[in-house]
Amino acid sequence: SHQAPSTCPFADGAIRLSSYPVGLLLLLKAGPSAGPRAAKNVTGTWGSVCSLGDLSLGYRRTADIACRELGYALGAERVSAGDEVLISPTKHRGAPAVVGAAEEKPAPLLSPELSSFASELPFHGSWLSCGGHEKLLVDCPVKPMRDATWQFPRCEHGRHELVLSCAGLRDRVAAAREGLWDKCAAEEGAGAGGSASLALPQRNRRS
């Protein structure tokens, strides 16, 4: 049966975390029926963001833009992928060396439920190279980089999904807007027809 278009106001290229303020970074990719940045008739899927790109080189601009888009004015605090910490208050490209600094905290591990959930998601974003002026993560250019063998590395589940920790408090408007979308999608039964609802493992929903 034909499913009516969703009118929930989430745009193609929207992002969210699986939980706040620390969670798996997710990106919405609309289906062909929804035009660029469409705010209606979103019939796409959520996918994870791959760490390959500027983040894997230690540049924090991409993470800062993602957190600000999510409503955290202070930007990102920590970024990890797999068991590796990519960005932290003392670890990023351009950070000064700190003599006697405390040992780096281990990367936050995904729960078994969320890890299993992430393994079933496609990668919707990789090789992101934000300049720092972008308002939205989807506006950042994509610049693939070859490895030492002149191949383009592939994003691997369990190794390259981004886990993002944002700094400070979240803007209430951003949080409320996402909450309204969740409610709208649930009321429409958006999960029934491959639309853009997101059924996260219960223990990993934001508090």
Side-chain angles (χ1 to χ4, degrees):
S1 61
H2 178 71
Q3 185 179 7
S6 170
T7 57
C8 303
F10 233 136
D12 178 39
I15 62 173
R16 68 183 300 165
L17 296 185
S18 60
S19 59
Y20 291 88
V22 183
L24 187 70
L25 180 59
L26 301 167
L27 173 67
L28 179 64
K29 186 175 182 180
S33 61
R37 299 299 299 165
K40 294 185 178 180
N41 194 28
V42 176
T43 57
T45 57
W46 290 95
S48 54
V49 176
C50 179
S51 62
L52 292 177
D54 276 5
L55 285 170
S56 60
L57 296 177
Y59 292 102
R60 60 176 302 128
R61 295 184 296 259
T62 299
D64 284 337
I65 287 170
C67 281
R68 289 180 186 129
E69 182 180 348
L70 291 167
Y72 292 91
L74 297 180
E77 183 175 56
R78 298 176 79 239
V79 182
S80 64
D83 59 359
E84 181 182 4
V85 174
L86 303 176
I87 305 291
S88 74
T90 59
K91 182 180 180 182
H92 59 87
R93 187 63 68 92
V98 180
V99 178
E103 185 176 347
E104 183 65 56
K105 293 181 180 179
L109 298 177
L110 299 180
S111 69
E113 294 89 348
L114 190 55
S115 181
S116 175
F117 168 79
S119 70
E120 298 176 0
L121 295 176
F123 283 105
H124 281 342
S126 58
W127 301 111
L128 297 177
S129 182
C130 300
H133 61 277
E134 297 87 354
K135 299 294 185 183
L136 304 171
L137 189 68
V138 72
D139 293 333
C140 293
V142 175
K143 296 182 180 179
M145 296 177 289
R146 298 179 187 271
D147 62 16
T149 64
W150 288 91
Q151 300 295 316
F152 293 113
R154 292 179 177 270
C155 299
E156 299 178 20
H157 287 296
R159 181 182 177 191
H160 291 133
E161 287 98 345
L162 278 182
V163 176
L164 188 61
S165 173
C166 297
L169 298 177
R170 193 181 189 198
D171 177 73
R172 292 183 179 182
V173 174
R177 183 168 57 242
E178 186 172 300
L180 287 172
W181 187 88
D182 285 341
K183 181 180 179 183
C184 175
E187 289 175 349
E188 288 192 4
S195 64
S197 68
L198 183 63
L200 295 170
Q202 290 296 318
R203 285 198 300 174
N204 295 287
R205 286 186 181 276
R206 63 187 181 281
S207 56

